[in-house]
Amino acid sequence: AAHDVSGVAATITDDDVRRTALVGSSASVVSQLKAVLTPDVAKLTIRPLAFEGQAISVTVRRFIEQVWPRLAA
């Protein structure tokens, strides 16, 4: 059975989302990652989510093609 998350969703602010998730355009995600990736960070785990009607592979491909190369530069 599906869970009713409307009560929880109503209490989560945009700030909460930004502190715990990478959101926005590729440029925005690059900026968010550059702010937290320091020499002390040894590993990074990405848990991609798909938009409704879009395969998760699209999200992964965009990250690989549009975000990751800009972090290595």
Side-chain angles (χ1 to χ4, degrees):
H3 297 279
D4 180 8
V5 296
S6 59
V8 173
T11 64
I12 296 175
T13 67
D14 287 349
D15 250 7
D16 294 328
V17 173
R18 286 187 189 96
R19 281 194 301 263
T20 59
L22 299 169
V23 296
S25 66
S26 295
S28 176
V29 170
V30 168
S31 179
Q32 292 169 63
L33 282 170
K34 282 185 175 183
V36 297
L37 290 178
T38 65
D40 297 339
V41 177
K43 294 182 181 182
L44 174 68
T45 300
I46 303 292
R47 294 188 178 136
L49 300 173
F51 290 99
E52 187 174 333
Q54 173 182 290
I56 199 164
S57 61
V58 174
T59 302
V60 172
R61 186 171 40 256
R62 284 185 181 155
F63 184 86
I64 292 168
E65 294 173 356
Q66 299 175 15
V67 175
W68 196 248
R70 292 164 71 183
L71 292 172

